[in-house]
Each structure stands twice: as structure tokens, then as C-alpha cells.
Amino acid sequence: MYLSVQLSFYPLTDDFKPPVREVVKRLQASGLEVYPNRMSTQVFGEFDAVMAALSEVMKWSFETYGKAAFVANFLEGDRRPEQA
């Protein structure tokens, strides 16, 4: 089953940009399709792979940066942006 996720990460710190960049970098290193933008990051892939990557990155972020909020929308199916 293919999964599309819109993910927002809010580290509860004044210097929030480095943690956000690192979360995106780790998601990109997972081998999934990852499209960051100003408001959220879109992640696409097979269900089990996406959920495993999200679990790993979320756990790592809590252990590394402490308190943070993740907000996610999960859509079954391929909702990737059309490629021109």
C-alpha cells in the first residue's frame, strides 16, 4: 500500500531552523520521496517504509532536541505532485 504524508515539525526552541533542517535531511536519507517546503514536508512511499522512517526520525528528534510537536496528515494512495 502506498502512503502520502504531509508532516510539520515544531521543535519547542527559539533556534528552530537547525532541528527542522536535520529532520528533513534524515527523512531524505531514508530513501523515501521527500519534498520540503516552507510550511511542511511531504513524504511518499510504501506504508511500512514510511511509518518506519517517521518512527525513527521522531524518536531521534526527541532524544536529540527534547520537546517538539509533530503534526501529520496521512493519505492512503499516491498523492505525489505531478512532475512536469
Side-chain angles (χ1 to χ4, degrees):
M1 172 191 314
Y2 207 82
L3 187 63
S4 301
V5 180
Q6 179 181 8
L7 181 70
S8 296
F9 171 57
Y10 304 100
L12 302 179
T13 179
D14 290 335
D15 190 19
F16 61 90
K17 288 182 182 180
V20 170
R21 287 186 187 117
E22 189 61 29
V23 163
V24 170
K25 180 179 169 183
R26 286 176 174 267
L27 286 170
Q28 290 170 326
S30 72
L32 300 170
E33 285 191 59
V34 178
Y35 299 95
N37 62 52
R38 295 181 150 255
M39 299 299 294
S40 64
T41 299
Q42 297 173 336
V43 182
F44 304 95
E46 288 299 321
F47 183 92
D48 291 338
V50 171
M51 296 306 288
L54 291 177
S55 177
E56 184 178 314
V57 168
M58 289 172 64
K59 181 178 180 183
W60 170 85
S61 75
F62 292 140
E63 292 172 345
T64 304
Y65 298 112
K67 292 185 176 21
F70 283 88
V71 178
N73 294 308
F74 297 89
L75 297 131
E76 186 277 324
D78 187 352
R79 304 288 188 241
R80 289 178 288 181
E82 291 185 24
Q83 302 297 319

